[in-house]
């Protein structure tokens, strides 16, 4: 009933509206057509009859489509915008076109497209976006296009495709995606498998090729040999690790994130401390512990020193460095994260003793943490806690900075205060 009322309103309104001056409007084969092609237009003209079902704005000079560009034509079923100069399509530019079945944006300069525009076009059957400058398609770009039959993405600058991009297109029968500069890494292998098994026609498959790496340039994806690919795996270890060890002045806390994955994952550290969150892209120092150029703007001596081998050193560990330390590894196939909570406490003061008793209880049961080559290995998947116990005779000001280089144990590493005990505790 609502759609019928909308149709009646549109027809009545359309009868009383004139066609925009540069365009011609009329009925043909039962469709209300507005023809504005080849008019040298630089913007979508106002004043369309609301009952227009086909609108051609092809071969003009439109530079962009703003929000609400087609609000006047809610019954539009076909929209032709090929051969313009469109670079951007704003969010909401197509949102009012719930009846749209055909959309042609081909042969433009499109690089900035608000993909959310497609989420309201559930009836779309033809989408032409070929011959543009698109570099990336979000994984959920086509999530609402269950009726789409033909999709043309050829002659763009797409270098990768997110896995599952075409999964919502259950009615797809034709896909053109040739002549894009694909990077043939692990992230594209899913598409090769999908292309070999889909019922959709993919023409010119010999032109769906790799542009990089150089050794694979020109190789059709259909002939690409399997690549050794794996999602990231991480294991976070930390030192000191000797339960009950008595430590000397000059303590530096050392954490190490052991990362596996192919292609090699990018490592990040997220550190939640009392004065806020610190995010570090590793490395931020060189092998000698000196700040890299990108980190120099913040400090010549970073508070947290992330090395290329996955180690993180905190030279001045104190109350301000308490918190949660997380290492996050990411590659094309996914991500993995591991965290440890680090706390500084004085024994004999309430809650800290409770934690200590729980630690010894777990140890008596054969649980908790154990050491392998001086590295702590949590015995289960639960979050673990490092508690550094500071003796009453000592003080936080007794901690002094130490210099550390991964792969060595420099003077001062693993040391804190005159009478400090390190307890490693795993919560269950």
């Amino acid at each position: 009933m609502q759609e019928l009322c909308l149709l009646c309103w549109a027809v009545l309104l359309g009868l009383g509206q004139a066609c925009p001056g540069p365009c011609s409007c009329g009925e043909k084969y039962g469709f209300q057509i507005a023809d504005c092609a080849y008019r040298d237009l630089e913007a979508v003209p106002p004043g369309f009859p609301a009952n227009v079902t086909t609108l051609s704005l092809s071969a003009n000079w439109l530079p962009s489509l703003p929000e609400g560009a087609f609000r006047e034509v809610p019954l539009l079923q076909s929209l032709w915008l090929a051969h313009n100069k469109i670079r951007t399509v704003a969010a909401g530019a197509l949102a009012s076109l719930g009846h749209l079945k055909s959309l042609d944006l081909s042969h433009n300069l499109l690089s900035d497209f608000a993909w959310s525009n497609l989420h309201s076009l559930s009836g779309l059957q033809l989408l032409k976006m070929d011959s543009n400058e698109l570099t990336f398609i979000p994984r959920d770009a086509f999530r609402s296009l269950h009726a789409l039959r033909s999709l043309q993405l050829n002659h763009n600058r797409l270098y990768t495709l997110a896995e599952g991009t075409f999964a919502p297109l259950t009615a797809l029968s034709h896909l053109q995606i040739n002549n894009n500069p694909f990077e043939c890494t692990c992230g594209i292998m899913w598409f090769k498998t999908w292309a070999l098994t889909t019922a959709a026609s993919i023409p010119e498959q010999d032109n769906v090729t790799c542009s990089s790496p150089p050794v694979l340039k020109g190789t059709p994806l259909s002939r690409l040999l399997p690549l050794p690919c794996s999602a990231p795996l991480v294991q976070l270890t930390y030192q000191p690790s000797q339960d009950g060890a008595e430590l000397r002045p000059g303590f530096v806390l050392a954490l190490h994130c052991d990362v596996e994955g192919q292609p090699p994952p990018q490592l990040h550290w997220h550190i939640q401390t009392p004065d806020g969150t610190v995010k570090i892209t590793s490395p931020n120092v060189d092998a000698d512990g000196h700040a890299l150029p990108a980190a120099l703007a913040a400090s010549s001596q970073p508070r947290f020193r992330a090395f290329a081998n996955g180690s993180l050193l905190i030279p001045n560990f104190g109350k301000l460095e308490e918190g949660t330390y997380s290492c996050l590894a990411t590659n094309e196939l996914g991500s993995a994260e591991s965290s440890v909570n680090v706390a500084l406490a004085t024994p004999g003061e309430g809650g800290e003793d409770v934690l200590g008793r729980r630690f010894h209880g777990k140890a008596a049961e054969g649980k908790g943490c154990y050491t392998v080559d001086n590295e702590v290995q949590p015995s289960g998947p639960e979050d673990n806690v490092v508690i550094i116990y500071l003796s009453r005779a000592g003080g936080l000001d007794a901690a002094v900075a130490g210099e550390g280089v991964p792969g060595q144990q420099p003077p001062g590493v693993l040391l804190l205060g005159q009478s400090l005990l390190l307890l490693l505790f795993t919560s269950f």
Side-chain angles (χ1 to χ4, degrees), residues 231-290:
L233 294 173
V234 299
Q235 183 177 29
L236 183 60
T237 56
Y238 31 88
Q239 293 180 328
S241 61
Q242 294 82 5
D243 175 27
E246 189 168 308
L247 306 171
R248 300 189 304 273
F251 176 78
V252 174
L253 180 64
L255 298 92
H256 182 74
C257 191
D258 188 24
V259 179
E260 297 178 8
Q262 186 63 34
Q266 173 65 61
L267 179 61
H268 302 268
W269 289 94
H270 291 183
I271 306 168
Q272 183 65 52
T273 65
D275 56 356
T277 300
V278 179
K279 295 184 178 181
I280 301 171
T281 298
S282 184
N284 68 350
V285 295
D286 61 21
D288 295 322
H290 300 130

Short mmCIF file of all heavy atoms in Angstrom, two decimals, residues 231-290:
data_model
loop_
_atom_site.label_atom_id
_atom_site.label_comp_id
_atom_site.label_asym_id
_atom_site.label_seq_id
_atom_site.Cartn_x
_atom_site.Cartn_y
_atom_site.Cartn_z
N ALA A 231 48.25 -17.76 8.64
CA ALA A 231 47.85 -16.64 9.48
C ALA A 231 48.84 -16.49 10.65
O ALA A 231 49.54 -17.46 11.00
CB ALA A 231 46.44 -16.86 10.01
N PRO A 232 48.92 -15.33 11.27
CA PRO A 232 49.89 -15.11 12.34
C PRO A 232 49.63 -15.98 13.57
O PRO A 232 48.49 -16.30 13.91
CB PRO A 232 49.72 -13.63 12.70
CG PRO A 232 49.06 -13.02 11.51
CD PRO A 232 48.18 -14.09 10.94
N LEU A 233 50.73 -16.35 14.22
CA LEU A 233 50.71 -16.97 15.55
C LEU A 233 51.68 -16.17 16.43
O LEU A 233 52.75 -15.78 15.97
CB LEU A 233 51.15 -18.44 15.48
CG LEU A 233 50.26 -19.40 14.71
CD1 LEU A 233 50.93 -20.77 14.60
CD2 LEU A 233 48.90 -19.55 15.41
N VAL A 234 51.29 -15.92 17.67
CA VAL A 234 52.18 -15.18 18.57
C VAL A 234 52.31 -15.90 19.90
O VAL A 234 51.38 -16.59 20.35
CB VAL A 234 51.67 -13.73 18.82
CG1 VAL A 234 51.62 -12.95 17.52
CG2 VAL A 234 50.31 -13.73 19.50
N GLN A 235 53.46 -15.75 20.53
CA GLN A 235 53.68 -16.23 21.89
C GLN A 235 54.48 -15.17 22.63
O GLN A 235 55.56 -14.77 22.19
CB GLN A 235 54.44 -17.56 21.91
CG GLN A 235 54.60 -18.13 23.33
CD GLN A 235 55.29 -19.48 23.33
OE1 GLN A 235 56.08 -19.78 22.44
NE2 GLN A 235 54.99 -20.31 24.31
N LEU A 236 53.93 -14.70 23.72
CA LEU A 236 54.56 -13.64 24.50
C LEU A 236 55.29 -14.23 25.69
O LEU A 236 54.71 -14.97 26.49
CB LEU A 236 53.50 -12.64 24.98
CG LEU A 236 53.98 -11.42 25.76
CD1 LEU A 236 54.93 -10.59 24.91
CD2 LEU A 236 52.81 -10.57 26.19
N THR A 237 56.58 -13.96 25.80
CA THR A 237 57.37 -14.40 26.94
C THR A 237 58.03 -13.18 27.57
O THR A 237 58.07 -12.10 26.97
CB THR A 237 58.46 -15.40 26.52
OG1 THR A 237 59.27 -14.82 25.49
CG2 THR A 237 57.84 -16.68 25.97
N TYR A 238 58.55 -13.36 28.80
CA TYR A 238 59.08 -12.21 29.51
C TYR A 238 60.16 -12.63 30.49
O TYR A 238 60.22 -13.79 30.93
CB TYR A 238 57.97 -11.46 30.26
CG TYR A 238 56.84 -12.34 30.73
CD1 TYR A 238 56.88 -12.98 31.96
CD2 TYR A 238 55.73 -12.53 29.91
CE1 TYR A 238 55.85 -13.80 32.36
CE2 TYR A 238 54.69 -13.36 30.31
CZ TYR A 238 54.75 -13.98 31.54
OH TYR A 238 53.73 -14.80 31.93
N GLN A 239 61.05 -11.72 30.78
CA GLN A 239 62.14 -11.94 31.72
C GLN A 239 62.23 -10.74 32.65
O GLN A 239 61.91 -9.63 32.23
CB GLN A 239 63.47 -12.10 30.97
CG GLN A 239 63.55 -13.37 30.13
CD GLN A 239 64.87 -13.50 29.41
OE1 GLN A 239 65.48 -12.50 29.04
NE2 GLN A 239 65.33 -14.71 29.22
N PRO A 240 62.69 -10.90 33.89
CA PRO A 240 63.20 -12.07 34.58
C PRO A 240 62.13 -13.15 34.74
O PRO A 240 60.94 -12.85 34.74
CB PRO A 240 63.61 -11.54 35.96
CG PRO A 240 63.67 -10.08 35.81
CD PRO A 240 62.68 -9.72 34.76
N SER A 241 62.59 -14.38 34.92
CA SER A 241 61.65 -15.47 35.05
C SER A 241 61.96 -16.41 36.21
O SER A 241 61.26 -17.38 36.41
CB SER A 241 61.62 -16.28 33.74
OG SER A 241 62.90 -16.82 33.49
N GLN A 242 63.05 -16.15 36.95
CA GLN A 242 63.41 -17.05 38.04
C GLN A 242 62.58 -16.74 39.27
O GLN A 242 62.76 -15.71 39.91
CB GLN A 242 64.91 -16.92 38.37
CG GLN A 242 65.82 -17.39 37.25
CD GLN A 242 66.01 -16.33 36.19
OE1 GLN A 242 65.54 -15.21 36.34
NE2 GLN A 242 66.67 -16.70 35.11
N ASP A 243 61.68 -17.64 39.62
CA ASP A 243 60.81 -17.44 40.78
C ASP A 243 61.64 -17.30 42.05
O ASP A 243 62.46 -18.16 42.37
CB ASP A 243 59.85 -18.64 40.89
CG ASP A 243 58.98 -18.56 42.14
OD1 ASP A 243 58.74 -17.43 42.60
OD2 ASP A 243 58.56 -19.63 42.63
N GLY A 244 61.44 -16.22 42.79
CA GLY A 244 62.13 -16.03 44.06
C GLY A 244 63.55 -15.54 43.93
O GLY A 244 64.28 -15.51 44.91
N ALA A 245 63.99 -15.15 42.73
CA ALA A 245 65.36 -14.68 42.56
C ALA A 245 65.57 -13.35 43.27
O ALA A 245 64.69 -12.51 43.28
CB ALA A 245 65.69 -14.55 41.08
N GLU A 246 66.77 -13.18 43.88
CA GLU A 246 67.08 -11.90 44.49
C GLU A 246 67.83 -11.08 43.45
O GLU A 246 68.82 -11.54 42.86
CB GLU A 246 67.93 -12.10 45.74
CG GLU A 246 68.11 -10.82 46.53
CD GLU A 246 68.69 -11.09 47.91
OE1 GLU A 246 68.14 -11.95 48.64
OE2 GLU A 246 69.69 -10.45 48.23
N LEU A 247 67.39 -9.86 43.23
CA LEU A 247 67.87 -9.08 42.09
C LEU A 247 68.63 -7.84 42.55
O LEU A 247 68.34 -7.27 43.60
CB LEU A 247 66.68 -8.68 41.22
CG LEU A 247 65.81 -9.86 40.78
CD1 LEU A 247 64.54 -9.36 40.11
CD2 LEU A 247 66.59 -10.76 39.85
N ARG A 248 69.60 -7.43 41.74
CA ARG A 248 70.44 -6.29 42.07
C ARG A 248 69.91 -5.02 41.38
O ARG A 248 69.03 -5.09 40.53
CB ARG A 248 71.88 -6.57 41.63
CG ARG A 248 72.49 -7.80 42.31
CD ARG A 248 73.99 -7.89 42.01
NE ARG A 248 74.27 -7.91 40.59
CZ ARG A 248 74.30 -9.02 39.86
NH1 ARG A 248 74.03 -10.18 40.43
NH2 ARG A 248 74.57 -8.97 38.58
N PRO A 249 70.48 -3.85 41.72
CA PRO A 249 69.99 -2.60 41.12
C PRO A 249 70.15 -2.59 39.59
O PRO A 249 71.04 -3.23 39.04
CB PRO A 249 70.88 -1.53 41.75
CG PRO A 249 71.36 -2.14 43.02
CD PRO A 249 71.51 -3.61 42.75
N GLY A 250 69.30 -1.81 38.94
CA GLY A 250 69.40 -1.61 37.50
C GLY A 250 68.46 -2.46 36.68
O GLY A 250 68.81 -2.90 35.59
N PHE A 251 67.25 -2.70 37.18
CA PHE A 251 66.32 -3.63 36.52
C PHE A 251 65.74 -3.06 35.22
O PHE A 251 65.39 -1.90 35.13
CB PHE A 251 65.18 -3.94 37.49
CG PHE A 251 64.11 -4.82 36.90
CD1 PHE A 251 64.31 -6.18 36.79
CD2 PHE A 251 62.92 -4.28 36.46
CE1 PHE A 251 63.33 -6.99 36.25
CE2 PHE A 251 61.93 -5.08 35.92
CZ PHE A 251 62.14 -6.44 35.81
N VAL A 252 65.69 -3.90 34.19
CA VAL A 252 65.01 -3.59 32.94
C VAL A 252 64.05 -4.74 32.65
O VAL A 252 64.47 -5.90 32.61
CB VAL A 252 66.01 -3.45 31.77
CG1 VAL A 252 65.27 -3.28 30.45
CG2 VAL A 252 66.94 -2.27 32.00
N LEU A 253 62.78 -4.44 32.46
CA LEU A 253 61.82 -5.49 32.12
C LEU A 253 61.92 -5.78 30.63
O LEU A 253 61.91 -4.87 29.80
CB LEU A 253 60.39 -5.06 32.47
CG LEU A 253 59.30 -6.08 32.14
CD1 LEU A 253 59.48 -7.35 32.97
CD2 LEU A 253 57.92 -5.49 32.36
N ALA A 254 62.03 -7.06 30.28
CA ALA A 254 62.15 -7.47 28.88
C ALA A 254 61.00 -8.40 28.53
O ALA A 254 60.76 -9.39 29.23
CB ALA A 254 63.48 -8.17 28.65
N LEU A 255 60.29 -8.07 27.47
CA LEU A 255 59.25 -8.93 26.94
C LEU A 255 59.63 -9.30 25.50
O LEU A 255 60.26 -8.51 24.79
CB LEU A 255 57.88 -8.25 26.94
CG LEU A 255 57.32 -7.85 28.30
CD1 LEU A 255 57.72 -6.43 28.64
CD2 LEU A 255 55.80 -7.99 28.33
N HIS A 256 59.23 -10.49 25.10
CA HIS A 256 59.54 -10.92 23.74
C HIS A 256 58.29 -11.53 23.10
O HIS A 256 57.66 -12.40 23.68
CB HIS A 256 60.67 -11.94 23.71
CG HIS A 256 61.05 -12.35 22.31
ND1 HIS A 256 61.76 -11.53 21.47
CD2 HIS A 256 60.77 -13.46 21.59
CE1 HIS A 256 61.93 -12.12 20.30
NE2 HIS A 256 61.33 -13.31 20.35
N CYS A 257 57.98 -11.05 21.90
CA CYS A 257 56.83 -11.56 21.15
C CYS A 257 57.37 -12.39 19.99
O CYS A 257 57.94 -11.86 19.03
CB CYS A 257 55.98 -10.40 20.63
SG CYS A 257 54.37 -10.92 19.98
N ASP A 258 57.21 -13.69 20.11
CA ASP A 258 57.65 -14.61 19.06
C ASP A 258 56.53 -14.74 18.03
O ASP A 258 55.42 -15.17 18.38
CB ASP A 258 57.99 -15.97 19.67
CG ASP A 258 58.65 -16.90 18.67
OD1 ASP A 258 59.24 -16.39 17.70
OD2 ASP A 258 58.55 -18.12 18.85
N VAL A 259 56.80 -14.36 16.79
CA VAL A 259 55.77 -14.25 15.76
C VAL A 259 56.07 -15.20 14.62
O VAL A 259 57.21 -15.30 14.15
CB VAL A 259 55.68 -12.81 15.22
CG1 VAL A 259 54.63 -12.70 14.13
CG2 VAL A 259 55.37 -11.84 16.35
N GLU A 260 55.03 -15.92 14.17
CA GLU A 260 55.13 -16.75 12.98
C GLU A 260 54.01 -16.36 12.03
O GLU A 260 52.96 -15.88 12.44
CB GLU A 260 55.01 -18.23 13.34
CG GLU A 260 56.12 -18.75 14.24
CD GLU A 260 55.92 -20.22 14.59
OE1 GLU A 260 55.00 -20.84 14.00
OE2 GLU A 260 56.65 -20.73 15.45
N GLY A 261 54.22 -16.60 10.75
CA GLY A 261 53.19 -16.32 9.75
C GLY A 261 53.81 -16.05 8.40
O GLY A 261 54.98 -15.69 8.29
N GLN A 262 53.03 -16.28 7.35
CA GLN A 262 53.49 -16.03 5.99
C GLN A 262 52.34 -15.44 5.18
O GLN A 262 51.27 -16.05 5.09
CB GLN A 262 53.96 -17.34 5.34
CG GLN A 262 54.59 -17.17 3.98
CD GLN A 262 55.86 -16.33 4.00
OE1 GLN A 262 56.61 -16.38 4.96
NE2 GLN A 262 56.09 -15.55 2.96
N PRO A 263 52.51 -14.22 4.65
CA PRO A 263 53.74 -13.42 4.66
C PRO A 263 54.09 -12.93 6.06
O PRO A 263 53.23 -12.92 6.95
CB PRO A 263 53.39 -12.26 3.73
CG PRO A 263 51.91 -12.17 3.75
CD PRO A 263 51.42 -13.57 3.90
N PRO A 264 55.35 -12.54 6.29
CA PRO A 264 55.78 -12.13 7.63
C PRO A 264 54.86 -11.05 8.20
O PRO A 264 54.61 -10.03 7.56
CB PRO A 264 57.19 -11.57 7.39
CG PRO A 264 57.66 -12.30 6.17
CD PRO A 264 56.45 -12.46 5.31
N PRO A 265 54.31 -11.29 9.39
CA PRO A 265 53.36 -10.33 9.97
C PRO A 265 54.03 -9.03 10.41
O PRO A 265 55.21 -8.99 10.73
CB PRO A 265 52.79 -11.08 11.20
CG PRO A 265 53.12 -12.52 10.96
CD PRO A 265 54.42 -12.52 10.20
N GLN A 266 53.23 -7.97 10.43
CA GLN A 266 53.64 -6.70 11.02
C GLN A 266 53.33 -6.75 12.52
O GLN A 266 52.22 -7.13 12.91
CB GLN A 266 52.89 -5.53 10.38
CG GLN A 266 53.12 -4.18 11.04
CD GLN A 266 54.56 -3.71 10.92
OE1 GLN A 266 55.07 -3.50 9.84
NE2 GLN A 266 55.22 -3.52 12.07
N LEU A 267 54.28 -6.37 13.34
CA LEU A 267 54.12 -6.45 14.79
C LEU A 267 53.83 -5.07 15.37
O LEU A 267 54.49 -4.09 15.05
CB LEU A 267 55.40 -7.02 15.42
CG LEU A 267 55.41 -7.14 16.95
CD1 LEU A 267 54.32 -8.08 17.42
CD2 LEU A 267 56.77 -7.64 17.43
N HIS A 268 52.84 -5.02 16.25
CA HIS A 268 52.49 -3.80 16.98
C HIS A 268 52.43 -4.12 18.47
O HIS A 268 52.07 -5.24 18.87
CB HIS A 268 51.12 -3.27 16.54
CG HIS A 268 51.02 -2.96 15.08
ND1 HIS A 268 51.29 -1.71 14.56
CD2 HIS A 268 50.67 -3.74 14.03
CE1 HIS A 268 51.12 -1.73 13.26
NE2 HIS A 268 50.74 -2.95 12.90
N TRP A 269 52.79 -3.14 19.28
CA TRP A 269 52.62 -3.23 20.73
C TRP A 269 51.55 -2.24 21.16
O TRP A 269 51.59 -1.07 20.78
CB TRP A 269 53.93 -2.91 21.44
CG TRP A 269 54.99 -3.95 21.29
CD1 TRP A 269 55.98 -3.99 20.35
CD2 TRP A 269 55.17 -5.11 22.11
NE1 TRP A 269 56.77 -5.09 20.52
CE2 TRP A 269 56.30 -5.81 21.60
CE3 TRP A 269 54.50 -5.64 23.21
CZ2 TRP A 269 56.78 -6.99 22.15
CZ3 TRP A 269 54.97 -6.82 23.78
CH2 TRP A 269 56.08 -7.50 23.25
N HIS A 270 50.61 -2.72 21.97
CA HIS A 270 49.62 -1.85 22.60
C HIS A 270 49.83 -1.95 24.11
O HIS A 270 49.74 -3.03 24.70
CB HIS A 270 48.19 -2.29 22.23
CG HIS A 270 47.85 -2.06 20.79
ND1 HIS A 270 46.61 -2.34 20.26
CD2 HIS A 270 48.59 -1.57 19.77
CE1 HIS A 270 46.61 -2.03 18.97
NE2 HIS A 270 47.80 -1.57 18.66
N ILE A 271 50.11 -0.81 24.72
CA ILE A 271 50.47 -0.78 26.14
C ILE A 271 49.49 0.12 26.88
O ILE A 271 49.42 1.32 26.61
CB ILE A 271 51.92 -0.27 26.32
CG1 ILE A 271 52.88 -1.12 25.47
CG2 ILE A 271 52.31 -0.30 27.79
CD1 ILE A 271 54.26 -0.51 25.35
N GLN A 272 48.75 -0.47 27.81
CA GLN A 272 47.79 0.28 28.61
C GLN A 272 48.41 0.56 29.97
O GLN A 272 48.57 -0.36 30.79
CB GLN A 272 46.49 -0.50 28.76
CG GLN A 272 45.39 0.26 29.51
CD GLN A 272 44.91 1.49 28.76
OE1 GLN A 272 44.55 1.40 27.59
NE2 GLN A 272 44.92 2.63 29.43
N THR A 273 48.77 1.82 30.23
CA THR A 273 49.40 2.21 31.49
C THR A 273 48.48 3.16 32.24
O THR A 273 47.48 3.62 31.69
CB THR A 273 50.76 2.89 31.22
OG1 THR A 273 50.53 4.11 30.52
CG2 THR A 273 51.67 1.99 30.39
N PRO A 274 48.82 3.50 33.50
CA PRO A 274 47.96 4.43 34.26
C PRO A 274 47.76 5.78 33.59
O PRO A 274 46.73 6.43 33.80
CB PRO A 274 48.71 4.58 35.60
CG PRO A 274 49.48 3.32 35.75
CD PRO A 274 49.90 2.95 34.35
N ASP A 275 48.71 6.23 32.76
CA ASP A 275 48.56 7.54 32.14
C ASP A 275 48.11 7.46 30.68
O ASP A 275 48.23 8.41 29.93
CB ASP A 275 49.85 8.35 32.25
CG ASP A 275 51.04 7.62 31.65
OD1 ASP A 275 50.88 6.47 31.21
OD2 ASP A 275 52.14 8.22 31.61
N GLY A 276 47.57 6.31 30.27
CA GLY A 276 47.00 6.22 28.94
C GLY A 276 47.51 5.04 28.14
O GLY A 276 48.24 4.18 28.64
N THR A 277 47.10 5.00 26.87
CA THR A 277 47.46 3.91 25.97
C THR A 277 48.58 4.35 25.04
O THR A 277 48.55 5.43 24.47
CB THR A 277 46.24 3.48 25.13
OG1 THR A 277 45.20 3.05 26.01
CG2 THR A 277 46.60 2.33 24.19
N VAL A 278 49.56 3.48 24.91
CA VAL A 278 50.68 3.72 23.99
C VAL A 278 50.60 2.67 22.89
O VAL A 278 50.50 1.47 23.16
CB VAL A 278 52.04 3.63 24.72
CG1 VAL A 278 53.19 3.84 23.74
CG2 VAL A 278 52.09 4.63 25.86
N LYS A 279 50.66 3.11 21.62
CA LYS A 279 50.66 2.20 20.49
C LYS A 279 51.97 2.36 19.73
O LYS A 279 52.36 3.47 19.36
CB LYS A 279 49.47 2.47 19.57
CG LYS A 279 48.13 2.19 20.24
CD LYS A 279 46.96 2.37 19.27
CE LYS A 279 45.64 2.04 19.95
NZ LYS A 279 44.49 2.20 19.01
N ILE A 280 52.64 1.24 19.52
CA ILE A 280 53.95 1.25 18.88
C ILE A 280 53.94 0.29 17.70
O ILE A 280 53.54 -0.86 17.84
CB ILE A 280 55.05 0.83 19.87
CG1 ILE A 280 55.08 1.76 21.08
CG2 ILE A 280 56.42 0.81 19.17
CD1 ILE A 280 55.99 1.27 22.19
N THR A 281 54.38 0.78 16.56
CA THR A 281 54.64 -0.10 15.42
C THR A 281 56.10 -0.50 15.50
O THR A 281 57.00 0.34 15.47
CB THR A 281 54.35 0.61 14.09
OG1 THR A 281 52.97 0.96 14.04
CG2 THR A 281 54.66 -0.31 12.91
N SER A 282 56.34 -1.81 15.62
CA SER A 282 57.70 -2.30 15.80
C SER A 282 58.42 -2.41 14.45
O SER A 282 57.83 -2.82 13.45
CB SER A 282 57.64 -3.68 16.47
OG SER A 282 58.93 -4.17 16.75
N PRO A 283 59.72 -2.02 14.42
CA PRO A 283 60.54 -1.49 15.53
C PRO A 283 60.48 0.02 15.61
O PRO A 283 60.15 0.69 14.63
CB PRO A 283 61.94 -1.95 15.13
CG PRO A 283 61.92 -1.89 13.62
CD PRO A 283 60.53 -2.29 13.22
N ASN A 284 60.83 0.54 16.81
CA ASN A 284 61.00 1.99 16.94
C ASN A 284 62.42 2.35 17.34
O ASN A 284 62.75 3.52 17.52
CB ASN A 284 59.99 2.58 17.93
CG ASN A 284 60.23 2.15 19.37
OD1 ASN A 284 61.05 1.25 19.62
ND2 ASN A 284 59.51 2.73 20.31
N VAL A 285 63.29 1.32 17.51
CA VAL A 285 64.71 1.54 17.76
C VAL A 285 65.52 0.59 16.88
O VAL A 285 65.00 -0.42 16.41
CB VAL A 285 65.08 1.31 19.25
CG1 VAL A 285 64.41 2.34 20.14
CG2 VAL A 285 64.71 -0.10 19.68
N ASP A 286 66.80 0.93 16.67
CA ASP A 286 67.66 0.04 15.90
C ASP A 286 68.26 -1.02 16.82
O ASP A 286 67.92 -1.10 18.01
CB ASP A 286 68.74 0.83 15.17
CG ASP A 286 69.66 1.61 16.11
OD1 ASP A 286 69.74 1.25 17.31
OD2 ASP A 286 70.28 2.58 15.65
N ALA A 287 69.16 -1.84 16.28
CA ALA A 287 69.72 -2.94 17.06
C ALA A 287 70.53 -2.47 18.26
O ALA A 287 70.73 -3.22 19.21
CB ALA A 287 70.59 -3.82 16.15
N ASP A 288 70.99 -1.22 18.23
CA ASP A 288 71.74 -0.67 19.36
C ASP A 288 70.87 0.08 20.36
O ASP A 288 71.37 0.67 21.31
CB ASP A 288 72.83 0.27 18.85
CG ASP A 288 73.88 -0.46 18.02
OD1 ASP A 288 74.22 -1.60 18.40
OD2 ASP A 288 74.34 0.10 17.01
N GLY A 289 69.55 0.07 20.12
CA GLY A 289 68.64 0.74 21.05
C GLY A 289 68.43 2.21 20.79
O GLY A 289 67.79 2.89 21.59
N HIS A 290 68.97 2.72 19.68
CA HIS A 290 68.79 4.14 19.36
C HIS A 290 67.51 4.33 18.57
O HIS A 290 67.16 3.52 17.70
CB HIS A 290 69.99 4.65 18.55
CG HIS A 290 71.29 4.53 19.27
ND1 HIS A 290 72.42 3.96 18.71
CD2 HIS A 290 71.63 4.87 20.55
CE1 HIS A 290 73.40 3.98 19.58
NE2 HIS A 290 72.95 4.52 20.71
#
